[in-house]
Amino acid sequence: MGQETKKTTAKKGTELSQAKEALQQKNVELETAKSAVEKAEKARDIFLANMSHELRTPINTILGLNELILRESQEEAVKEYARDIRQAGNILLALVSDILDFSKLEADKMELTEGIYDVSSLLNDLINSISVQQRRKKLDLVLEIAQDIPYKLFGDEIHIRQIIGNLLSNAVRYTEKGRITLHVSWKELPKDSVELYVIVKDTGVGIKEEDIPKLFKAFQRMDSATRSKDDRTGLGLAITQRLIEMMGGKLEVQSVYGKGSAFSFKIVQKIVDREPLGDFEKQYKDSLRSIEDYHEKFIAPMGRILIVDDNAMNLAVAQGLLKGTRLQIDVAASGEECLELIKRKTYHLICMDHMMPVMDGVQTLHAIRALEGNPSRDIPVIALTANAVAGARELYLKEGFQDYLTKPIDADKFENMLIEYLPDNVVYLTNNRNISDEYEQTQEEGDGEFDIRESQLYLMGFNLRNGLRYMGGDKALYGKVLRDFHSILQEKETALKDFLQKGDMPGYTIIVHSLKGNARNVGADDLADEAFELEKMAKAGQLEDVTVRSPILFGMMNTMRNSLRVYLETEDAAGEKTGQQEPEESAGSITEDEWTRALQELAARLDDFDGESAAAKLRELKRYDRPESDKKMLRLCEKAIKDYAYDIALEVVNAVL
């Protein structure tokens, strides 16, 4: 029996040992499997992050080049295609972002990033994000914003913006007529907290009751009758719901099929500043009225401004408001990008958003003032901000801003501010005339006054009619802008050669892009086209190609500069001639030989493009008593000189000689 016990004990020991080994093996296998899963998840995250980045880069390039087509094309059919490309590109870009966000949520890798934010800035950005589509569909936007909401809160502004933005964009997408309503109210909680209550309502297609649960499932679509042509994968609301849940809230839906929907949620935020928001709805309506009644008060084709804002729609709105002014506008999406731009280019004015991530507007302003060798170091900087509370102006002036403008931007106030702070020599006031309408009227009525002058400018490389169109038909303004253009040609050529010598393609791109706009403004179309070709090469970093092709551009600039110098000198002379003068006494008679020699001298001056002395000689000849045929010849010659057509004036004189 003892022997039997020993055998049993030994057997149990063996089994236990085997069980331990099996357990250890299983643990090893589990660890291996866990490690493999973690590696797979990490690989997936890396892949999705890289894929998202790699896809965004070419999409942004496509959208950027497409914007150039929209701005520069004169063909309406081409612009319509470009608008479709922009719409599809933006949908694709949003889808890429949705996929990345959804993958993070699925892997529990999405984290809330909390910080201080301005409620009015948040609201302004959200309204701008839907404004283009909302106005295109002629939908009313109703704002029900509590005026006593504390204007500065602490929370995850980025994801709150994403949540409300998704709800608003869906409301616009699925509403063909009627209105969109944004309601924001609040309730105070203990420990300096508030409960924000947000509702987004629409009068759109609505949702069937049985379809509501599908809204929050990824890659689910509703029935085809309610879908819009740009409907996406259904990721937006799935992400929105998960984000709200991460913030401790819940997304509620009420809908009547065929009549509209309402999406609402409540989240808790911390109070940072109890100063009330104020009447945001009034600010918004005032800005709408200013846009509707707008026509440009000034033109500044040679004015250079930089607008800095981390929100793409805000940049688009600001650019759109200033489109009629012909300003050269650069944009930067961050303080860091702003600092890089001002190292390479001189501006007359900077408009700066306050609330930006990483480096806000105040920090960026201080960095601009401290940056050594910065050509824009001392220029005016205006704060663009949604902060309209008491004391805001004093805050910005104390920090060093020259002025500040609240969002939503009032177009009228914006232009008045630009007129005040831009240099006088680049601003041409329109005196409350709608110059675009005036130009169209001039074109319809016809104007033969510039025919001779147009041929002269054409020979110099200028399309006068295109230039006048960009100037709204203002001939005096066109003459002033030509003078400005002449003065910057040497400056830009020197800058381009400097960047080319250093191999600095980003710097070269900025200057050649600016030159393209300058040339287009005055109708120097061939020069603008050449600059555009070099801009594309420089953007692609093709240093060798840019080096080979740049001398062509420099040659065109040099020829144009020299021609313009002569042109402008003679313009000054003609200006003196056309002024009010006392009638000159007759110089009496002149012999035929003396008359011939005088005409030969006039011809020589015209042949040298010496407009000033030619005009003086002509004034002298007009004083002599001559037959009517000679007087008519002098009048024709005077008109040609007045129109800067010296070759035609020379032909008139030679026909007599």
Side-chain angles (χ1 to χ4, degrees):
M1 193 71 173
Q3 190 67 29
E4 190 72 24
T5 301
K6 287 180 181 180
K7 286 182 180 180
T8 302
T9 302
K11 184 178 179 181
K12 286 182 178 179
T14 302
E15 290 174 351
L16 183 60
S17 177
Q18 290 174 343
K20 285 182 179 179
E21 288 178 5
L23 183 59
Q24 289 174 350
Q25 181 64 30
K26 184 62 71 176
N27 286 336
V28 169
E29 290 174 358
L30 288 172
E31 285 295 325
T32 303
K34 180 183 176 184
S35 177
V37 169
E38 289 175 349
K39 286 180 180 179
E41 287 181 347
K42 186 175 181 181
R44 181 194 64 183
D45 292 344
I46 293 172
F47 168 74
L48 286 170
N50 288 337
M51 180 199 71
S52 176
H53 173 76
E54 293 301 328
L55 284 174
R56 280 184 178 125
T57 300
I59 293 171
N60 282 324
T61 301
I62 291 168
L63 290 175
L65 292 173
N66 191 62
E67 284 301 314
L68 293 177
I69 295 172
L70 281 167
R71 293 180 191 179
E72 297 176 12
S73 175
Q74 303 300 319
E75 299 290 333
E76 188 54 39
V78 173
K79 293 175 80 169
E80 189 61 36
Y81 295 145
R83 292 187 193 103
D84 290 341
I85 292 172
R86 179 169 59 185
Q87 182 182 13
N90 285 329
I91 292 171
L92 181 58
L93 195 59
L95 177 57
V96 169
S97 299
D98 282 354
I99 291 172
L100 185 61
D101 285 345
F102 188 74
S103 68
K104 288 180 179 178
L105 285 166
E106 288 292 288
D108 292 326
K109 296 292 180 67
M110 183 72 81
E111 295 179 356
L112 298 181
T113 306
E114 296 185 318
I116 298 171
Y117 65 92
D118 186 326
V119 175
S120 54
S121 179
L122 170 71
L123 293 171
N124 178 80
D125 293 351
L126 288 168
I127 291 169
N128 282 342
S129 70
I130 62 165
S131 60
V132 174
Q133 189 68 10
Q134 169 236 327
R135 289 172 190 161
R136 186 178 297 153
K137 297 178 81 169
K138 298 180 180 179
L139 301 174
D140 292 328
L141 178 61
V142 179
L143 298 178
E144 299 174 349
I145 314 295
Q147 297 184 25
D148 57 349
I149 294 178
Y151 94 97
K152 194 167 284 190
L153 300 175
F154 184 88
D156 189 344
E157 179 193 8
I158 293 174
H159 287 120
I160 294 173
R161 191 190 302 262
Q162 185 177 358
I163 290 166
I164 303 176
N166 276 341
L167 297 179
L168 284 171
S169 63
N170 277 345
V172 173
R173 182 180 301 123
Y174 294 108
T175 304
E176 293 304 320
K177 61 181 180 179
R179 63 187 177 276
I180 308 297
T181 302
L182 173 61
H183 170 96
V184 182
S185 57
W186 69 296
K187 180 175 72 176
E188 183 153 8
L189 300 177
K191 299 181 181 179
D192 285 329
S193 296
V194 298
E195 181 183 70
L196 283 184
Y197 182 39
V198 179
I199 308 174
V200 175
K201 294 184 287 188
D202 63 65
T203 57
V205 295
I207 307 160
K208 293 178 179 177
E209 188 174 350
E210 63 268 24
D211 282 338
I212 289 179
K214 298 178 185 177
L215 288 172
F216 309 111
K217 293 181 180 178
F219 309 107
Q220 288 278 340
R221 294 180 184 271
M222 302 304 101
D223 69 80
S224 58
T226 66
R227 280 166 48 195
S228 112
K229 64 179 181 180
D230 59 352
D231 194 8
R232 303 212 307 266
T233 60
L235 280 176
L237 283 175
I239 293 169
T240 299
Q241 183 189 47
R242 296 281 291 276
L243 288 172
I244 292 172
E245 289 172 352
M246 287 177 67
M247 295 181 187
K250 182 181 178 182
L251 183 58
E252 303 281 355
V253 185
Q254 291 180 327
S255 185
V256 177
Y257 187 62
K259 293 188 176 180
S261 306
F263 291 79
S264 63
F265 65 91
K266 297 176 183 178
I267 54 172
V268 176
Q269 304 283 278
K270 294 283 188 181
I271 299 174
V272 175
D273 193 321
R274 289 182 174 275
E275 187 78 34
L277 172 67
D279 195 343
F280 183 86
E281 184 178 3
K282 181 178 182 299
Q283 293 178 45
Y284 171 69
K285 288 180 178 177
D286 288 346
S287 72
L288 276 185
R289 276 193 292 271
S290 75
I291 292 170
E292 290 165 0
D293 299 336
Y294 166 78
H295 66 79
E296 61 275 359
K297 294 182 176 182
F298 73 97
I299 291 179
M302 296 300 161
R304 300 183 298 275
I305 72 169
L306 175 63
I307 303 177
V308 188
D309 198 307
D310 64 306
N311 184 283
M313 284 306 302
N314 287 346
L315 292 173
V317 168
Q319 287 178 289
L321 288 175
L322 298 178
K323 184 178 180 181
T325 66
R326 276 58 160 192
L327 274 164
Q328 299 174 45
I329 303 173
D330 287 342
V331 297
S334 67
E336 295 89 337
E337 191 175 333
C338 165
L339 294 177
E340 286 301 314
L341 281 171
I342 63 173
K343 291 176 186 175
R344 304 174 185 276
K345 188 172 179 180
T346 304
Y347 295 96
H348 295 120
L349 181 73
I350 297 176
C351 300
M352 181 89 67
D353 182 33
H354 179 195
M355 301 301 290
M356 296 186 292
V358 185
M359 181 183 287
D360 67 22
V362 173
Q363 293 169 323
T364 305
L365 172 63
H366 293 166
I368 290 171
R369 301 301 189 219
L371 187 62
E372 294 293 336
N374 167 20
S376 301
R377 184 175 184 176
D378 299 318
I379 66 169
V381 181
I382 295 172
L384 297 181
T385 173
N387 183 355
V389 299
R393 179 180 178 82
E394 291 72 17
L395 165 68
Y396 291 116
L397 294 181
K398 182 180 178 182
E399 291 291 351
F401 289 94
Q402 268 60 48
D403 216 321
Y404 96 116
L405 189 67
T406 58
K407 301 176 189 175
I409 295 174
D410 183 312
D412 191 59
K413 291 179 181 176
F414 198 13
E415 286 209 2
N416 287 339
M417 202 167 284
L418 292 173
I419 291 170
E420 179 179 355
Y421 291 108
L422 283 169
D424 291 340
N425 63 342
V426 303
V427 174
Y428 309 110
L429 299 178
T430 61
N431 297 319
N432 293 319
R433 295 178 292 124
N434 190 324
I435 58 175
S436 298
D437 289 348
E438 286 185 10
Y439 175 69
E440 294 300 328
Q441 183 179 351
T442 301
Q443 291 296 92
E444 290 172 6
E445 293 173 354
D447 187 355
E449 179 185 347
F450 274 64
D451 289 347
I452 298 176
R453 185 181 182 189
E454 182 174 358
S455 2
Q456 178 67 17
L457 284 168
Y458 179 79
L459 293 173
M460 293 164 56
F462 293 94
N463 185 324
L464 177 62
R465 297 196 182 277
N466 278 351
L468 279 174
R469 184 170 68 250
Y470 289 119
M471 298 302 112
D474 192 323
K475 298 166 187 173
L477 171 60
Y478 182 69
K480 292 177 182 177
V481 172
L482 269 182
R483 191 176 299 277
D484 290 341
F485 182 65
H486 173 258
S487 70
I488 66 166
L489 278 173
Q490 183 62 63
E491 168 197 328
K492 290 196 179 297
E493 184 178 338
T494 301
L496 287 170
K497 287 179 177 177
D498 183 51
F499 284 123
L500 189 59
Q501 185 179 9
K502 295 175 182 175
D504 185 344
M505 287 297 92
Y508 187 101
T509 302
I510 291 171
I511 301 300
V512 81
H513 173 78
S514 173
L515 172 65
K516 177 190 68 179
N518 296 147
R520 198 74 72 192
N521 277 332
V522 294
D525 295 335
D526 290 342
L527 182 63
D529 291 342
E530 186 62 30
F532 181 49
E533 292 303 317
L534 279 160
E535 179 189 0
K536 290 189 289 186
M537 293 178 184
K539 271 184 178 177
Q542 298 169 354
L543 176 58
E544 186 176 343
D545 292 339
V546 171
T547 303
V548 170
R549 189 155 179 169
S550 286
I552 300 173
L553 179 72
F554 299 151
M556 294 173 71
M557 294 172 73
N558 189 54
T559 301
M560 192 162 281
R561 188 173 65 251
N562 291 334
S563 300
L564 266 178
R565 177 180 56 78
V566 175
Y567 179 91
L568 294 170
E569 286 173 355
T570 53
E571 184 183 55
D572 292 339
E576 292 177 9
K577 175 173 65 63
T578 56
Q580 292 293 327
Q581 300 175 357
E582 291 295 323
E584 294 182 341
E585 293 182 2
S586 171
S589 60
I590 183 174
T591 68
E592 291 302 316
D593 288 343
E594 289 173 338
W595 179 253
T596 299
R597 285 196 296 272
L599 290 181
Q600 288 171 340
E601 186 179 346
L602 174 61
R605 295 180 184 184
L606 289 169
D607 194 45
D608 290 337
F609 280 80
D610 189 349
E612 185 174 355
S613 63
K617 189 65 181 177
L618 187 66
R619 287 196 296 271
E620 176 191 325
L621 292 175
K622 286 175 64 180
R623 294 172 57 203
Y624 291 107
D625 292 329
R626 297 298 298 171
E628 184 58 34
S629 59
D630 285 342
K631 291 180 180 179
K632 182 178 180 181
M633 178 272 295
L634 292 177
R635 287 196 297 271
L636 289 172
C637 189
E638 181 182 29
K639 177 171 176 52
I641 292 175
K642 182 180 178 181
D643 288 331
Y644 316 106
Y646 308 115
D647 54 341
I648 294 176
L650 181 59
E651 288 179 14
V652 170
V653 175
N654 285 336
V656 177
L657 289 173

